[in-house]
Structures are given as structure tokens and as C-alpha cells.
């Protein structure tokens, strides 16, 4: 998991709203692709499904959809 977290390095600010938006989509893709690994590491198969984790990630991202300042 430490490798997964290291590969998601993000610069502090985006230059524009479009850049911030594309970075959010990239983060979402990387997070969703790491779900199976995280489930294996923490033995989450009995607790939660992959789709529930994906839904949780997307709901957390949607909580900030009102933000218009790219910084």
C-alpha cells in the first residue's frame, strides 16, 4: 500500500479549473484501480464489496463538487 500512496503524488495547486478536474478524474481512476489490492491487504472481502468502496470514493469526491477555486 505504501507504494500505491507514493504513486499518487499531487502538486499543491492546479493552474486552472480544467486541470484540477482532470487531476480529480486521474485520482479517481488510480484509487479505483487500487481497490483490489487494498481489499487483499486488509482482508475486506467479508466486510465490503468493491462497488461499495468505489461508491464511497465517488461520494467523497462529489462532496467537493461545489468548489470553483482550483487552488
Amino acid at each position: 500500500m505504501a507504494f500505491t500512496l507514493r504513486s499518487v503524488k499531487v502538486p499543491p495547486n492546479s493552474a486552472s479549473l480544467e486541470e484540477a478536474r482532470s487531476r480529480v478524474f486521474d485520482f479517481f481512476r488510480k484509487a479505483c484501480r487500487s481497490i483490489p489490492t487494498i481489499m487483499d491487504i486488509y482482508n475486506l472481502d467479508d466486510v465490503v464489496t468493491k462497488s461499495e468502496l468505489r461508491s464511497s470514493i465517488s461520494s467523497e469526491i462529489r462532496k467537493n463538487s461545489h468548489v470553483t477555486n482550483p487552488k
Side-chain angles (χ1 to χ4, degrees):
M1 183 165 129
F3 175 74
T4 304
L5 291 177
R6 276 188 242 131
S7 67
V8 186
K9 291 184 180 176
V10 178
N13 294 325
S14 298
S16 67
L17 195 57
E18 285 303 315
E19 180 186 351
R21 182 179 167 91
S22 71
R23 287 174 49 192
V24 168
F25 285 129
D26 289 341
F27 170 76
F28 180 73
R29 278 188 219 104
K30 287 180 183 180
C32 287
R33 288 179 183 154
S34 67
I35 286 175
T37 305
I38 292 169
M39 288 186 70
D40 288 340
I41 291 170
Y42 294 104
N43 293 327
L44 298 176
D45 292 320
D46 297 336
V47 180
V48 69
T49 64
K50 293 176 185 176
S51 63
E52 289 173 337
L53 285 176
R54 197 176 310 113
S55 175
S56 296
I57 294 169
S58 65
S59 69
E60 290 298 319
I61 290 173
R62 285 189 184 112
K63 283 182 184 179
N64 295 312
S65 65
H66 66 282
V67 176
T68 57
N69 184 356
K71 296 183 179 187

